Amino acid sequence: VDLIGIDDVRRAAQRIEGKVVRTPLLPTLWGAGDRPLWLKPENLQLIGAFKVRGALNAIGALPDGVRARGIVTHSSGNHGQAVAYAARAFGVKATVVMPDASPVVKMDAVRALGAETVIVPGKLRESTSEALAEEHGYTLIPPYDHDDVIAGQGTIGLEIAADLPEVATVLVPIGGGGVISGVATAIKALLPQAKVIGVEPELAADAAESFRRGELVEWPIEQRYRTIADGVRVGICARTFRHIQARVDDVLTVSEDAIRDAMGVLARRSRIVAEPSGALTAAAYLTRGVELPPGPVAALVSGGNLEPDLLASVLAS
Amino acid sequence: VDLIGIDDVRRAAQRIEGKVVRTPLLPTLWGAGDRPLWLKPENLQLIGAFKVRGALNAIGALPDGVRARGIVTHSSGNHGQAVAYAARAFGVKATVVMPDASPVVKMDAVRALGAETVIVPGKLRESTSEALAEEHGYTLIPPYDHDDVIAGQGTIGLEIAADLPEVATVLVPIGGGGVISGVATAIKALLPQAKVIGVEPELAADAAESFRRGELVEWPIEQRYRTIADGVRVGICARTFRHIQARVDDVLTVSEDAIRDAMGVLARRSRIVAEPSGALTAAAYLTRGVELPPGPVAALVSGGNLEPDLLASVLAS
């Protein structure tokens, strides 16, 4: 079998319990009557994103002796902070290879969590992390193309199922596809009648196109990088596409304007700060809600790391 | 006995369970090493403020026949929405008397929750609500000068004690003094070694002065209204002062600049939107943290209802 199962997600939940914030489902007053909206605010995790779940599970699943040799990853975003945090939680060394174009504030955030950073030209990030893994015996923890990472993100689905068993639709953003693969695994096992629907920016809709065509389609990086939603500019991989094909009911896309508007609504009406990727699901709810099945909707707010100026601009608009 | 007790708070917790968000304690990365900081984000309640706890408990505690006749209150702020929400949750009618100077957006918010609004000149708000109570048999639920309201707010303390039993200091904002009276009741009963410290704006420091002098001091309304923290412009009352004297360890004050700065830190570093009153405790932590005992600190973020322009301005600064 080439898909993870609900038991993998359950084991992940045991591994990470007490090490992550057990986020509540937040009711809202801005949902429509027959589709009441709940938010799963993973921006409230310590590092501001759900990524800590997968990193903790993947590092926690390693044999002690392997883990003790250290961890390496490459990331310009939330996954780097997640690995740094998770490694520290287990008391092992982490090295995060970062593109030299990464914002200094993100490099500093990784260092503040006790990880070593290695700054390289963007195109060398993967080869550098592989070389470091080989040289030092580090274990490479990729951001989504990894069963233990997917199972860790899937714990979000367990929590939604426990807190809102009457949920009709679960909205999940898609970047590399790790979190929707895990969440769909949990939801379909526990609440088979519920729909799991992915959300992408129109400008980085490789998963939507792949889903529709029934085969994995890659979008050129220069296309994907047009969206404001920097957390989902990566493409899905074969592993996550298999999970999406088997367990996801649909993939919707939203405009850049809808993403910005949703960030403002989340801040004003639900008092949480979402990064553009984190606002994708709210954008889908607000602009395409009539296409969803009737019944309660749970929308994953995946993260809240963004430049303060951007947040200020969506509030003023 | 003229103070509420832990049993009152426990009964309140039973009454409101499932009707409020069980907010998590959020760890932070911006706390100092020997005083790690946790946030209790009550801005994530449906109406954006902790007030819903006290309103639900006070309305829930009424005999069925009394409650069925309806509820009345007066408020220009979060308490009005809390009473409207709580009355709707119990299926009874609510009337909220609001000063004619209230922002239209707040009047609309109360109406959207199904309550009737009665708009009067500010100086007539109390007499009007008393007249409505007499005429229609409504029960008046005041914002803080009421034991069941205090007990309801105290459920926040129960949750902090359950989630962080090693807490050394609990920081609570003081306006009318209801929430600190309830929280201190819970904390002192369950964790007698922990300190409960109130926080006020320097510009509305009637509780700090009363605490220091050992007698209830009233500040003129025109002084209290100078602070940006509109949620704490009211003064404490005899009932809440008795609880503060008996159970609160200290009252600190913070500057207006510290409040604004803390709003920005909460949005940027913890991804939550706090109104000025909701940022008081973070402001105290950031500017007066060295005066706190060593050990974990829990800071209550009381609410998140504010004009988007104000939030945008603190993000830009």
Side-chain angles (χ1 to χ4, degrees), chain B residues 10 43 55 57 75 83 90 157 173 242:
Chain B
R10 288 205 168 106
N43 56 327
N57 186 51
S75 168
V83 166
F90 283 104
R242 285 196 302 274

Side-chain angles (χ1 to χ4, degrees), chain A residues 21-22 24 26-29 43-48 88 113 267-268 270-273 304-305 308-309 311-312 315-316, chain B residues 21-22 24 26-29 43-48 88 113 267-268 270-273 304-305 308-309 311-312 315-316:
Chain A
V21 176
R22 174 61 166 84
L26 301 178
T28 67
L29 287 172
N43 57 327
L44 302 182
Q45 296 293 348
L46 188 64
I47 61 149
R88 188 177 70 173
L113 288 162
R268 292 193 307 271
S270 287
R271 298 107 193 162
I272 58 175
V273 173
N305 293 322
D309 287 350
L311 179 60
L315 286 167
Chain B
V21 176
R22 175 59 167 84
L26 301 178
T28 68
L29 288 171
N43 56 327
L44 302 182
Q45 296 293 346
L46 188 64
I47 61 148
R88 188 177 70 173
L113 288 163
R268 291 193 308 271
S270 288
R271 298 107 190 163
I272 58 175
V273 173
N305 293 322
D309 288 349
L311 180 59
L315 286 166

Side-chain angles (χ1 to χ4, degrees), chain A residues 105 263 273-276 304-316, chain B residues 263-265 267-269 311-317:
Chain A
V105 61
M263 292 169 68
V273 173
E275 61 186 85
N305 293 322
L306 78 168
E307 294 300 320
D309 287 350
L310 173 58
L311 179 60
S313 77
V314 301
L315 286 167
Chain B
M263 292 169 67
V265 171
R268 291 193 308 271
R269 307 287 318 265
L311 180 59
S313 78
V314 301
L315 286 166
S317 64

Side-chain angles (χ1 to χ4, degrees), chain A residues 9-303:
Chain A
V9 182
R10 288 206 169 105
R11 267 191 298 273
Q14 289 168 358
R15 253 185 223 120
I16 72 176
E17 191 185 353
K19 296 190 171 78
V20 299
V21 176
R22 174 61 166 84
T23 52
L25 269 185
L26 301 178
T28 67
L29 287 172
W30 45 280
D34 56 344
R35 292 180 188 86
L37 175 66
W38 302 72
L39 304 175
K40 181 69 170 170
E42 286 290 303
N43 57 327
L44 302 182
Q45 296 293 348
L46 188 64
I47 61 149
F50 71 88
K51 295 274 184 182
V52 67
R53 294 175 183 259
L56 277 166
N57 187 51
I59 295 173
L62 296 173
D64 289 350
V66 173
R67 184 170 54 230
R69 288 204 291 274
I71 309 296
V72 64
T73 195
H74 52 88
S75 167
S76 58
N78 293 332
H79 177 65
Q81 288 187 58
V83 165
Y85 173 76
R88 188 177 70 173
F90 283 104
V92 302
K93 180 180 173 178
T95 304
V96 180
V97 178
M98 304 187 76
D100 52 13
S102 306
V104 173
V105 61
K106 294 208 170 182
M107 299 180 190
D108 288 344
V110 169
R111 290 178 193 132
L113 288 162
E116 186 180 333
T117 54
V118 175
I119 312 301
V120 300
K123 62 185 175 187
L124 297 182
R125 48 189 262 178
E126 294 196 29
S127 59
T128 303
S129 44
E130 284 159 13
L132 285 166
E134 178 128 350
E135 181 182 349
H136 299 286
Y138 298 158
T139 300
L140 178 61
I141 305 288
Y144 51 88
D145 189 6
H146 190 294
D147 283 349
D148 291 328
V149 172
I150 291 172
Q153 323 299 29
T155 58
I156 295 167
L158 286 188
E159 295 174 7
I160 291 172
D163 290 354
L164 193 69
E166 65 273 31
V167 70
T169 306
V170 181
L171 296 174
V172 185
I174 303 184
V179 64
I180 196 168
S181 296
V183 168
T185 297
I187 294 292
K188 290 295 175 180
L190 300 172
L191 305 172
Q193 81 292 354
K195 304 292 183 195
V196 177
I197 298 181
V199 185
E200 277 186 315
E202 291 169 2
L203 298 184
D206 60 299
E209 185 180 340
S210 301
F211 185 82
R212 219 168 39 245
R213 290 169 56 159
E215 61 179 345
L216 181 56
V217 179
E218 288 187 31
W219 280 32
I221 189 167
E222 62 272 17
Q223 283 193 29
R224 290 186 264 118
Y225 268 64
R226 295 170 301 169
T227 178
I228 189 179
D230 54 294
V232 297
R233 288 176 183 152
V234 293
I236 59 172
C237 62
R239 184 192 309 265
T240 53
F241 185 51
R242 284 196 302 274
H243 287 82
I244 290 169
Q245 278 195 299
R247 294 172 179 163
V248 170
D249 296 283
D250 202 356
V251 182
L252 301 178
T253 61
V254 294
S255 71
E256 300 292 297
D257 280 349
I259 297 170
R260 286 174 182 273
D261 288 348
M263 292 169 68
V265 171
L266 288 167
R268 292 193 307 271
R269 306 287 316 266
S270 287
R271 298 107 193 162
I272 58 175
V273 173
E275 61 186 85
S277 308
L280 280 172
T281 56
Y285 181 88
L286 289 167
T287 59
R288 308 195 57 174
V290 294
E291 300 170 50
L292 305 178
V297 177
L300 171 58
V301 178
S302 54

Side-chain angles (χ1 to χ4, degrees), chain B residues 65-132:
Chain B
V66 173
R67 184 170 54 230
R69 288 204 291 273
I71 308 297
V72 63
T73 194
H74 52 86
S75 168
S76 57
N78 293 332
H79 177 65
Q81 287 188 59
V83 166
Y85 172 76
R88 188 177 70 173
F90 283 104
V92 301
K93 179 180 174 181
T95 304
V96 180
V97 178
M98 304 187 76
D100 52 15
S102 306
V104 172
V105 61
K106 295 209 169 182
M107 298 180 189
D108 288 344
V110 169
R111 290 178 193 131
L113 288 163
E116 185 181 335
T117 54
V118 175
I119 313 301
V120 298
K123 63 185 176 186
L124 296 182
R125 49 189 264 178
E126 294 197 29
S127 59
T128 302
S129 44
E130 283 160 13
L132 285 166

Side-chain angles (χ1 to χ4, degrees), chain B residues 18-243:
Chain B
K19 296 191 172 77
V20 299
V21 176
R22 175 59 167 84
T23 52
L25 269 185
L26 301 178
T28 68
L29 288 171
W30 45 280
D34 57 343
R35 292 181 188 84
L37 176 65
W38 302 72
L39 304 175
K40 181 69 169 170
E42 287 290 304
N43 56 327
L44 302 182
Q45 296 293 346
L46 188 64
I47 61 148
F50 71 88
K51 295 273 185 184
V52 67
R53 295 175 182 259
L56 278 167
N57 186 51
I59 295 173
L62 296 173
D64 290 349
V66 173
R67 184 170 54 230
R69 288 204 291 273
I71 308 297
V72 63
T73 194
H74 52 86
S75 168
S76 57
N78 293 332
H79 177 65
Q81 287 188 59
V83 166
Y85 172 76
R88 188 177 70 173
F90 283 104
V92 301
K93 179 180 174 181
T95 304
V96 180
V97 178
M98 304 187 76
D100 52 15
S102 306
V104 172
V105 61
K106 295 209 169 182
M107 298 180 189
D108 288 344
V110 169
R111 290 178 193 131
L113 288 163
E116 185 181 335
T117 54
V118 175
I119 313 301
V120 298
K123 63 185 176 186
L124 296 182
R125 49 189 264 178
E126 294 197 29
S127 59
T128 302
S129 44
E130 283 160 13
L132 285 166
E134 178 127 350
E135 182 182 349
H136 299 284
Y138 298 158
T139 300
L140 179 62
I141 304 289
Y144 52 88
D145 189 7
H146 190 294
D147 283 348
D148 291 326
V149 172
I150 291 172
Q153 324 298 30
T155 58
I156 295 167
L158 286 187
E159 294 175 8
I160 292 172
D163 291 353
L164 193 68
E166 65 272 31
V167 68
T169 306
V170 181
L171 297 174
V172 185
I174 303 184
V179 65
I180 197 168
S181 295
V183 169
T185 297
I187 294 292
K188 289 297 175 177
L190 300 172
L191 305 172
Q193 82 292 353
K195 304 293 183 193
V196 177
I197 298 181
V199 185
E200 278 185 314
E202 290 169 1
L203 298 184
D206 60 301
E209 184 179 341
S210 300
F211 185 82
R212 217 166 42 244
R213 289 170 54 160
E215 60 180 344
L216 181 55
V217 180
E218 289 186 31
W219 280 33
I221 191 167
E222 62 272 17
Q223 283 194 29
R224 290 186 264 119
Y225 268 64
R226 294 171 303 169
T227 179
I228 189 178
D230 55 294
V232 297
R233 287 176 183 152
V234 293
I236 58 172
C237 63
R239 184 191 312 264
T240 54
F241 184 52
R242 285 196 302 274
H243 288 83

